[in-house]
Amino acid sequence: MQSSKGDKPVYQDARTLCTTRQQLQKKEIKVSEVVQSCLDNIGKTEPLIRAMLRIREQEAMDMARELDRQGPDKDRPLWGIPMTIKDVICTRGIPTTCGSRILESFTPGYDATLVQRLKQAGAIILGKTNMDEFAMGSSTENSALQKTLNPWDLSRVPGGSSGGSAASMAAAQSLGSIGTDTGGSIRQPASFCGVVGMKPTYGRVSRYGLVAFGSSLDQAGPMTSCVQDSAAILNIISGHDHLDSTSSSTPVPDYLRALDKRKDLQNLRIGLPRQYWEEKMSPEVEAACKKVLETLLEAGAETVPVDLPHVQHGVAAYYIIAMAEASSNLARYDGVRYGYRDQKARELMDMYRRTRSRALGEEVQRRIMIGTYVLSAGYYDAYFKKAAQIRRLIHQDFIKSFESCDLLCSPVVPFTAFGLGENVDDPLQMYLTDIFTTSLNLAGLPGISIPAGTGKETGLPVGIQFMGPAFGEELLLQAAYILEQSLPPLPFPAALRE
């Protein structure tokens, strides 16, 4: 691994997870060297970007030395690989705050199923990453604990709600991170930070131990420096879990091996949704994404126009459903069972009010109130029921589109990362950030964001996404892998080189 030189990060030429895994198995490097290099880089970059909420330095090094003592284990695919976890996912013995004051003192007594699977595969958990409070936000500015900055430009947001994981990966603080995607919260920050973000099919990855925001929408997935690494992690965390009633029993293919099954994009039909490509976007995003389309054609793919007539209502339907589910899921944070409790209240209802108003952030309170409103007896049919009907129509639109194409392709976000504070006082503008991502969550389908280059005006990363049919992750990863190899890699973020 690289060593520190002056004040520059040690990981400027970051190794990929898969490359490091091979070197570890061959004993070309030690686990302790890999972990120490990541910790060194965290020490250099964390004061600048503030992506981590918790760093387990001593525990990680102790585990690394123990693995070095035991020697490589070919039966553990992530043996010795340092990873980070979004703080909405339960980790035994490590505080899980969801970026909220109300859970600041909560330490789970169990691991989420996906964390348990990562550990069984040999991964080392370096720490927990920052996030918008209860995953409610698109910029990580809603975290009650700290604001994370974009490694490419420290005056801009990293996206959200998995902004901590995206920024951490862009700064090469670990070899892989786990985020969650409720309405684009993996893909959007991946686009803003220039990393790969994979949202699996709903039910592909167990939600047991994932603190719920929108139960019918939430899905955990990998955030990595390349497509191959995402495939390697998805292999581990996918599969049925009897502890999660929404978990699918659909067989899990070997995503990593599948990458080599397709050598080119010949005969691959890629649909271009009219509603996305005709949507107003910044000139630099449009230029970068259209250049990717040219690359796809050169690689042998065929592009076909498709129509998704109801996605224009996707953002509205998504926020009604998501807020309704949030109001129900967050009712448990009442100061009685666990978490923060206001000590000055004199009677029960006053304790509820004081606890929730003081320990929950403004955006969380806004969503709870709107969600409660749309679920109320007088407004349920007008709002929630109508949103559920639109959701069904959007799902049918996607199913119909795959009759004429194999995958869909679109930009991830209409613009590059916006400035800190730019949209924080305008919730509607913030919600519209998710215009290209929310409908996929409503349909429960998989998607992947990969870097499409950088904008000519801002020099910031631009992301493009592939979307596939249910449990179509294998083809998604293959197409993204081939495209990735046809595009120039992004450099290490300039803001961290200075």
Side-chain angles (χ1 to χ4, degrees), residues 88 97-100 102-103 131-136 161 211-213 330 333 360 364:
V88 74
T97 69
C98 298
S100 178
I102 207 162
L103 286 178
M131 56 179 285
D132 284 301
E133 186 176 6
F134 284 104
M136 298 181 191
S161 63
V211 180
F213 159 23
L330 270 66
Y333 305 110
L360 294 176
V364 175

Side-chain angles (χ1 to χ4, degrees), residues 11 16-18 20-21 24 31 34-36 38-39 42 52 54-57 59-60 63-64 67 77-86 89 91 94 114-129 164-165 168-169 172-179 220-225 229-237:
Y11 236 145
T16 68
L17 182 156
C18 289
T20 303
R21 183 178 65 172
L24 287 170
V31 179
V34 176
V35 171
Q36 186 60 60
C38 287
L39 291 173
I42 289 174
M52 303 287 292
R54 241 148 261 104
I55 303 167
R56 303 177 69 243
E57 183 171 354
E59 296 91 335
M63 184 175 294
L67 291 180
L78 298 180
W79 185 85
I81 298 297
M83 295 185 62
T84 58
I85 308 292
K86 183 178 179 179
I89 299 169
T91 42
I94 310 172
L114 72 87
V115 174
Q116 186 179 38
R117 289 176 176 177
L118 289 172
K119 289 182 175 180
Q120 289 172 348
I124 297 174
I125 308 303
L126 285 183
K128 307 294 286 291
T129 57
S165 290
S168 180
M169 282 308 306
Q173 293 183 346
S174 71
L175 296 181
S177 188
I178 302 296
M223 304 185 78
T224 60
S225 61
D229 291 354
S230 284
I233 295 174
L234 196 60
N235 269 356
I236 304 303
I237 63 176

Side-chain angles (χ1 to χ4, degrees), residues 278-350:
E278 292 179 1
E279 182 70 34
K280 185 177 181 181
M281 63 185 87
S282 70
E284 60 180 353
V285 169
E286 184 175 13
C289 290
K290 287 188 174 179
K291 189 172 182 180
V292 168
L293 294 184
E294 294 174 3
T295 303
L296 291 173
L297 293 173
E298 292 171 358
E302 174 190 357
T303 58
V304 296
V306 298
D307 197 32
L308 300 174
H310 297 98
V311 297
Q312 60 182 316
H313 308 299
V315 172
Y318 165 79
Y319 275 101
I320 288 173
I321 292 171
M323 290 181 185
E325 294 186 358
S327 73
S328 176
N329 282 323
L330 270 66
R332 71 194 70 178
Y333 305 110
D334 53 12
V336 175
R337 285 159 284 195
Y338 50 84
Y340 170 83
R341 176 190 292 186
D342 185 87
Q343 300 296 326
K344 296 181 180 181
R346 295 185 177 181
E347 52 91 19
L348 186 62
M349 290 305 298
D350 187 42

